[in-house]
Amino acid sequence: MIKELHIKLKSWLMMLAVLLMATNYSYSQQDPIKVKGKVTDEKGEVLVGVSVIIKGTKTGTLTDVDGNYTIQAAPAATLVFSYIGFDPQEIKVNPTGTINVKMSGDKTLDQVVVVGYGTAKKKDLTGGLAVVGKEQLSMVSTPNLMDRLVGQVAGFSITTGNAAPGAAQTLLIRGENSLSASNNPLIILDGIPYNGSLADIDPNNVENLSILKDASAVAIYGSRGSNGVILIQTKRGALGKATVTYRGQLGMAEPMQTIDVMGPNEYIRFQQDIARLRQGYTGELLDPIAGDIISVTERNNYAKGITNDWQDYIFRRAMTMDHQLSISGGTESTKYMASLAALDQDGVVYNSKLSRLNITSNLDQTFNKWLTIGVGLQYTRKSDGGITPNIEHAIKQSPYGAYKDENGRYVPEPMEYSLIVNPMRNVNAIQDRYNNNFFVSGYANILLPVKGLSLRSNFGYNYRNGFTGTYYGRDTFDGRDQGTVVGGSASINNSQYNDYTWENIIKYEREIGDHRFDVTGLFSMQKTKSWGTSQSGQGFVTDDNEYFMIGSAARNPANDSSLSETAMLSYMGRLNYAYKGKYLLTLTGRSDGASVFGVNNKYAFFPVAAAAWHIGEESFLKDKVKWLDMLKIRLSYGANGNQAINVYRTLDRLNSNVKYIWGDAGQAVTAAYLAGDGIGNPNLKWETTYSTNLGIDFQLFKSRLSGSIDAYLNNTKDLLMTRTVPIMNGYRTIMDNIGQTQNKGIEVTLNSVNVKAKDFSWNSTAVFSLNRDKIVELRGDGLDDIANNWYINKPLRIFFDYNMVGIWQAGENYSVQPGGLPGAAKIEDVNGDGVITTADRKIIGSKNPRYTASFANRLSYKNFYASALVTGVFGVWRDDHMANLGSWTFGITNYVHNANYWTPENPGGTIVSPAYMNTLQHGYYKKVNYVQVRNITFGYRVPQNIAKKIGLSGIDINASVNNLHTFSNIRQVLNYDNTWMASFPTARSYMFGLNVNF
């Protein structure tokens, strides 16, 4: 009986299986059905551009402006929904044909970031790097890429010493390691080293940046990355229909602040104080007209009541117009992006300007499952010529100085004083300056017929040329006729540069059980060439030809040319290993060969190791600390080299720019001689920096608080420095590898989600950086280098001088100090011997800040949004130009308003007496702090349903102000990043923007 039941049951099961198979076969052969729906986020807002793919196929679509999608799929198919920043979802097709999806999730840890020669998930990083995305890049609205990053990345310093439009900035990652060689970071643009100016790049074309900081992160770039690396990724095409975007900005700029100088009456009182205290004038001699306290020209204007505000002449309100039109889109096999941008920016100083044209295109083509080829092109045309006024001369000019004569020409010496001349006297000169930058990059990505094995070949070519033509005509001071000497002065400079980089990268990636690893190998070659020519001459019959007929110059014709070439050859290997996703290891080794070094040391090898531990994934934390989302510890150690020295330093160099006459009746011929620093060193090699980095990454309270903390220690050895040798050798100095520096610091980045509601959100980011550097050794003899201000166990860049501690008063023993008298600067007696001598000089302070910080806030309410960025620099020592009364005024020029200088009637003054003669030639210094309101932005995104009614998919309107104000313990400066008070001023700009998607 049991046997029969078993046979029947088996038969029924077989019949059921056949029936199910038949049903499934029949169902699978059904025609595709129409599936539609809407995709929204957790707040219910529609998501545009969500990728909807039929799993296992290449068939897909994107959600439209209303978040809707439609796709034909088999009834048994599975749809995959994916969108950047959200967790992907897989949903099976249901018989109704309608699938509405709500996407959620925090993918911060799974975010894919760009690293050297590849990408990696953020949670898998072992090295120290910072990623700057669209949100940070859009916080500041200036057309300069680096302006948008100031203060936003821990350990990344951007100093705008010259705030003129298009001027280069000083970039430092984790301070300075080298005393003589370059400390500039390496810039990688779309995978290729970029030697052009970052001011040439249109910020609107940048997708993201990665700042590589520690030895492990930069090791893959070897000697070129010893000062850190900036990886810049431009925008590329994406799957979907063509999207056309217009971005436009219109703005007005003005100097953030001017120097508040003395007005007419205050200036006269100041000149009277100078005359009575320094020259002993009394009575009628102090009268502005009858006396001798001002020049004849000034007296005439004083009598007529004519005054001039010189800063009004040199500064101005300036306009900015920035337009960009781009198109992007793509299919499964072809993705494209192209943009055209035009910038016209006037500077806030008379005659300063920048015109920039950017053409960018990127194309990625997938030919089949194993071959993808991409090419990118960037062309920049930049013009920024113009002779600008002398800012210092305008600030120090007398309010009674003569501006123009009766013929409308600029008076050369408004105060009849040759050291402070008319700041406008050469502004009519003609200067054309053009720069062209052509950058092309391409790659071929090949999947080899071995699982996990791929090959990528990168090639990049950069060509730049520059032209400057200048002509000083007869309507300028430098080009004027002088008696029988014909005027006119012309010059032309041409520069050319090109480089190419070819890199081949082979990569093998596998995951076996709990083990995941990838191995990368690299072969790279790079060559650069730069050359230039120049011509100049004076004395032209007419100004009409400008600089186009230099060959007709009557006197001082000159020609010059130059050439420089370098080459590099590199090999690299890297291993990334992960066990259970918790224990991470990176080993990197790179060998570099550089032509700039001697024949005995062309090559060097730089190894680096890094490890990371996801300690938050361990059971003793993950299961017990509920508020802990992620906790990772990173540690790295390794060596990186620096080869950024001038070319040909390893070779003997002869100077041949002199003429020598052989005999009384001989002809002048070109001669050559060995310069004092012309001997080469065939043993010259890399500076090497040994870096240790300890870092912590964390996320807390369901990602409401996240950030990273890094501590680093860099020891740089074999410094590339000039060493003095006995002159009996026939030369005075030679470049050598001597000395050692140390650089250490702490970096903190905190991100917080303060409010996250349906209609309102508020996020904040705080950044803190602290850096300390010092010289450990110089030339091996334990001695300081006083001539270069280099002192062992002291910071790299310092002020070493007499220290002013007060002002001498009547009745005090000021005779101990040369030049001492009431009202003179009181110098600190450092050694306590009762006499002020050179032995009393001391280190005043470091020119680098004690620490920097920034605070950014981003808010949104429905369709409104706002952001604000504040940055601060603290504890940096600067020259106190306001206190240096003698150098400022020279005893005759203008001075700052309300200056509290010492007089017998004002013994409590904080500035020295106008009578003080600084015989010690000491400076004046002050520890400076300044906090700048970098940007405030307000914007509104027009609802999509309204934009759609006028045929658009998105409209964004915004207004912003950059460099609104600076709070500081000093006031009389134009640019807080510059040590000189009369530098090109920082501009406060008011910008109005419009972004439209078609």
Side-chain angles (χ1 to χ4, degrees):
M1 182 67 178
I2 295 176
K3 185 177 180 179
E4 292 179 358
L5 289 173
H6 179 73
I7 292 173
K8 290 181 178 181
L9 180 60
K10 187 176 180 180
S11 299
W12 278 104
L13 289 173
M14 290 180 64
M15 292 175 62
L16 180 60
V18 172
L19 180 61
L20 288 173
M21 290 176 63
T23 303
N24 183 62
Y25 177 79
S26 173
Y27 191 64
S28 65
Q29 295 301 307
Q30 291 180 6
D31 294 333
I33 64 173
K34 182 179 181 181
V35 181
K36 62 181 181 179
K38 176 176 286 190
V39 182
T40 61
D41 61 13
E42 293 176 294
K43 299 178 183 179
E45 296 180 357
V46 299
L47 296 177
V48 181
V50 176
S51 174
V52 185
I53 304 291
I54 299 175
K55 187 175 182 180
T57 73
K58 294 184 178 181
T59 303
T61 187
L62 297 174
T63 57
D64 62 18
V65 294
D66 297 318
N68 297 320
Y69 71 93
T70 302
I71 192 170
Q72 297 286 333
T78 298
L79 301 184
V80 179
F81 298 82
S82 58
Y83 195 63
I84 296 175
F86 293 85
D87 295 322
Q89 294 189 38
E90 295 186 6
I91 302 176
K92 291 185 177 181
V93 173
N94 60 52
T96 65
T98 300
I99 302 177
N100 295 319
V101 179
K102 179 176 289 187
M103 304 195 72
S104 62
D106 180 5
K107 295 201 63 176
T108 303
L109 295 180
D110 288 326
Q111 177 187 359
V112 175
V113 299
V114 178
V115 296
Y117 300 111
T119 59
K121 289 185 178 180
K122 198 170 184 179
K123 67 180 181 181
D124 294 337
L125 297 176
T126 57
L129 63 84
V131 179
V132 182
K134 296 178 183 177
E135 193 173 57
Q136 286 173 277
L137 287 172
S138 62
M139 281 200 69
V140 178
S141 54
T142 65
N144 186 302
L145 177 60
M146 288 296 104
D147 281 349
R148 301 190 178 197
L149 295 182
V150 173
Q152 297 207 66
V153 179
F156 184 29
S157 168
I158 302 171
T159 305
T160 309
N162 181 1
Q169 295 156 296
T170 300
L171 310 178
L172 289 176
I173 296 177
R174 292 187 167 178
E176 298 179 89
N177 295 313
S178 180
L179 288 170
S180 300
S182 172
N183 288 289
N184 295 332
L186 172 68
I187 299 169
I188 303 294
L189 179 61
D190 289 336
I192 300 297
Y194 177 75
N195 291 312
S197 171
L198 288 176
D200 291 350
I201 298 176
D202 180 10
N204 293 321
N205 277 336
V206 176
E207 182 72 18
N208 59 65
L209 295 96
S210 295
I211 313 297
L212 312 186
K213 297 186 285 188
D214 77 336
S216 176
V218 306
I220 201 164
Y221 292 104
S223 63
R224 292 182 298 178
S226 60
N227 296 315
V229 181
I230 303 173
L231 302 181
I232 302 175
Q233 291 293 116
T234 59
K235 296 177 179 178
R236 306 193 79 88
L239 180 67
K241 64 181 182 179
T243 300
V244 178
T245 301
Y246 166 78
R247 294 180 177 88
Q249 282 192 320
L250 175 64
M252 185 275 291
E254 62 185 2
M256 184 180 66
Q257 61 189 42
T258 58
I259 303 297
D260 192 10
V261 295
M262 290 179 169
N265 295 332
E266 189 180 12
Y267 171 75
I268 293 297
R269 287 195 302 271
F270 178 59
Q271 295 303 320
Q272 290 171 336
D273 285 338
I274 291 176
R276 69 185 180 92
L277 295 175
R278 182 178 296 182
Q279 298 167 294
Y281 285 7
T282 59
E284 190 178 70
L285 291 175
L286 296 175
D287 185 80
I289 295 179
D292 190 29
I293 62 172
I294 55 178
S295 68
V296 174
T297 300
E298 290 176 277
R299 271 179 256 164
N300 290 334
N301 282 342
Y302 178 84
K304 298 175 183 178
I306 298 174
T307 60
N308 290 292
D309 187 336
W310 293 89
Q311 291 183 76
D312 269 357
Y313 298 140
I314 68 167
F315 296 144
R316 64 183 180 181
R317 286 186 171 89
M319 298 299 296
T320 296
M321 290 190 295
D322 190 8
H323 305 279
Q324 189 207 50
L325 188 65
S326 65
I327 181 171
S328 65
T331 64
E332 289 289 341
S333 58
T334 305
K335 298 179 179 64
Y336 56 88
M337 190 285 294
S339 71
L340 174 65
L343 168 69
D344 280 303
Q345 181 182 14
D346 290 332
V348 295
V349 175
Y350 185 90
N351 261 0
S352 62
K353 63 181 182 297
L354 171 65
S355 295
R356 188 181 70 196
L357 175 69
N358 291 86
I359 300 174
T360 304
S361 64
N362 287 319
L363 177 66
D364 300 279
Q365 178 67 48
T366 300
F367 291 93
N368 49 52
K369 65 180 182 180
W370 59 269
L371 177 61
T372 300
I373 292 179
V375 63
L377 169 66
Q378 295 197 43
Y379 169 74
T380 303
R381 168 79 168 181
K382 184 173 68 175
S383 172
D384 59 353
I387 302 298
T388 56
N390 187 304
I391 298 175
E392 178 189 358
H393 292 179
I395 292 171
K396 295 181 177 181
Q397 204 66 245
S398 165
Y400 291 111
Y403 180 49
K404 291 183 177 180
D405 61 20
E406 60 276 7
N407 297 317
R409 291 177 174 266
Y410 296 114
V411 175
E413 296 178 5
M415 305 163 57
E416 302 168 17
Y417 186 46
S418 60
L419 289 181
I420 303 296
V421 300
N422 195 320
M424 304 288 285
R425 67 181 189 174
N426 281 319
V427 295
N428 289 330
I430 295 168
Q431 185 178 71
D432 298 319
R433 183 162 53 223
Y434 305 105
N435 291 274
N436 295 284
N437 188 350
F438 178 81
F439 181 82
V440 62
S441 61
Y443 73 88
N445 197 30
I446 303 171
L447 300 180
L448 299 174
V450 175
K451 184 178 180 181
L453 187 63
S454 63
L455 174 66
R456 183 183 176 100
S457 184
N458 296 332
F459 181 81
Y461 177 79
N462 188 197
Y463 171 76
R464 300 198 305 273
N465 67 56
F467 169 83
T468 302
T470 306
Y471 184 76
Y472 291 89
R474 288 163 176 79
D475 58 349
T476 67
F477 181 80
D478 289 356
R480 71 194 186 283
D481 290 330
Q482 301 181 62
T484 60
V485 178
V486 179
S489 176
S491 65
I492 288 178
N493 290 275
N494 283 285
S495 63
Q496 312 282 332
Y497 171 90
N498 66 45
D499 68 50
Y500 74 82
T501 303
W502 185 33
E503 298 178 329
N504 292 283
I505 307 111
I506 189 166
K507 191 168 187 176
Y508 181 64
E509 300 176 275
R510 285 299 302 272
E511 187 168 349
I512 304 174
D514 293 332
H515 307 274
R516 176 169 48 83
F517 60 89
D518 69 70
V519 181
T520 303
L522 166 76
F523 168 73
S524 172
M525 59 172 44
Q526 182 183 28
K527 188 172 183 180
T528 72
K529 179 179 180 180
S530 59
W531 66 102
T533 59
S534 64
Q535 297 174 290
S536 62
Q538 295 175 333
F540 297 91
V541 175
T542 176
D543 291 337
D544 293 341
N545 296 320
E546 299 177 357
Y547 53 77
F548 293 103
M549 293 185 67
I550 292 183
S552 64
R555 63 184 186 276
N556 300 329
N559 297 281
D560 196 11
S561 61
S562 62
L563 171 68
S564 175
E565 294 181 292
T566 68
M568 282 194 67
L569 190 66
S570 305
Y571 307 89
M572 184 278 300
R574 178 178 65 189
L575 168 66
N576 287 322
Y577 171 76
Y579 176 66
K580 292 187 176 180
K582 294 190 295 185
Y583 312 103
L584 311 171
L585 176 68
T586 300
L587 300 175
T588 308
R590 175 157 175 153
S591 174
D592 281 323
S595 64
V596 296
F597 288 112
V599 294
N600 299 328
N601 289 298
K602 289 291 185 185
Y603 285 86
F605 179 72
F606 306 105
V608 177
W613 177 21
H614 274 284
I615 189 173
E617 293 297 310
E618 301 293 350
S619 59
F620 59 84
L621 286 178
K622 186 174 183 179
D623 298 333
K624 297 180 180 180
V625 184
K626 302 299 183 183
W627 47 267
L628 179 64
D629 304 323
M630 186 275 289
L631 180 63
K632 182 175 70 173
I633 300 175
R634 294 176 280 105
L635 178 65
S636 67
Y637 177 78
N640 296 113
N642 186 355
Q643 49 88 21
I645 62 171
N646 292 333
V647 297
Y648 312 125
R649 297 297 299 189
T650 62
L651 305 176
D652 297 342
R653 300 175 307 285
L654 295 177
N655 281 7
S656 59
N657 57 349
V658 296
K659 299 287 186 180
Y660 189 83
I661 299 177
W662 298 90
D664 292 340
Q667 295 292 322
V669 297
T670 300
Y673 67 95
L674 180 67
D677 65 344
I679 197 71
N681 184 353
N683 295 314
L684 209 61
K685 60 183 180 181
W686 277 262
E687 290 184 352
T688 303
T689 299
Y690 299 88
S691 302
T692 303
N693 188 93
L694 176 63
I696 299 175
D697 301 325
F698 58 87
Q699 286 191 0
L700 312 174
F701 311 113
K702 296 183 179 180
S703 299
R704 297 296 289 267
L705 179 64
S706 63
S708 62
I709 302 173
D710 282 84
Y712 60 90
L713 174 65
N714 298 337
N715 287 296
T716 303
K717 301 181 179 180
D718 296 325
L719 294 179
L720 293 162
M721 295 173 54
T722 299
R723 178 165 60 87
T724 303
V725 296
I727 191 61
M728 66 183 66
N729 291 297
Y731 51 91
R732 292 186 178 87
T733 60
I734 186 173
M735 182 69 76
D736 206 350
N737 292 104
I738 49 178
Q740 179 180 343
T741 63
Q742 186 182 92
N743 193 346
K744 58 185 178 182
I746 297 174
E747 301 166 354
V748 180
T749 301
L750 296 176
N751 304 296
S752 66
V753 180
N754 307 313
V755 178
K756 189 177 182 181
K758 180 179 180 181
D759 293 329
F760 178 69
S761 65
W762 172 25
N763 301 330
S764 299
T765 299
V767 173
F768 173 86
S769 302
L770 178 149
N771 179 269
R772 300 288 183 270
D773 58 34
K774 70 175 182 179
I775 298 172
V776 178
E777 184 55 77
L778 286 170
R779 295 178 173 87
D781 52 12
L783 300 178
D784 299 326
D785 186 334
I786 298 176
N788 287 310
N789 268 354
W790 293 338
Y791 297 87
I792 295 175
N793 291 322
K794 300 301 180 181
L796 275 62
R797 316 294 177 190
I798 61 169
F799 288 110
F800 179 80
D801 203 349
Y802 297 99
N803 183 36
M804 177 181 168
V805 292
I807 294 178
W808 289 108
Q809 301 295 332
E812 293 186 301
N813 183 21
Y814 44 78
S815 62
V816 300
Q817 176 182 318
L821 77 165
K826 181 186 291 187
I827 301 302
E828 180 184 0
D829 184 7
V830 175
N831 59 12
D833 63 356
V835 181
I836 302 302
T837 65
T838 56
D840 291 308
R841 292 179 300 171
K842 61 180 288 188
I843 294 173
I844 307 297
S846 173
K847 297 179 182 180
N848 293 322
R850 297 287 291 176
Y851 62 91
T852 61
S854 70
F855 188 50
N857 287 276
R858 293 170 291 272
L859 304 95
S860 67
Y861 175 71
K862 293 185 177 180
N863 291 324
F864 294 92
Y865 62 90
S867 64
L869 174 64
V870 178
T871 63
V873 175
F874 305 91
V876 57
W877 282 90
R878 296 280 175 84
D879 288 290
D880 189 355
H881 297 288
M882 181 177 174
N884 198 351
L885 188 151
S887 294
W888 183 308
T889 69
F890 303 103
I892 196 170
T893 65
N894 205 348
Y895 194 41
V896 292
H897 174 60
N898 281 336
N900 185 23
Y901 54 86
W902 187 97
T903 65
E905 301 78 24
N906 183 35
T910 56
I911 300 173
V912 296
S913 166
Y916 174 50
M917 304 300 292
N918 186 357
T919 58
L920 292 174
Q921 299 298 306
H922 64 84
Y924 301 79
Y925 311 97
K926 189 170 186 177
K927 183 183 283 189
V928 175
N929 307 309
Y930 55 98
V931 176
Q932 293 185 294
V933 183
R934 285 281 178 179
N935 178 269
I936 297 177
T937 297
F938 296 95
Y940 177 71
R941 297 185 180 93
V942 176
Q944 291 180 342
N945 58 340
I946 297 178
K948 188 177 180 181
K949 290 180 180 178
I950 57 176
L952 302 174
S953 59
I955 305 174
D956 187 315
I957 305 170
N958 57 76
S960 63
V961 56
N962 300 301
N963 299 316
L964 176 63
H965 187 70
T966 298
F967 302 91
S968 178
N969 60 336
I970 60 172
R971 162 65 182 82
Q972 304 294 358
V973 293
L974 296 173
N975 177 1
Y976 286 89
D977 279 355
N978 197 308
T979 59
W980 175 230
M981 58 89 180
S983 59
F984 196 105
T986 299
R988 178 190 295 123
S989 60
Y990 305 91
M991 307 297 292
F992 300 91
L994 172 66
N995 299 334
V996 178
N997 294 325
F998 297 91

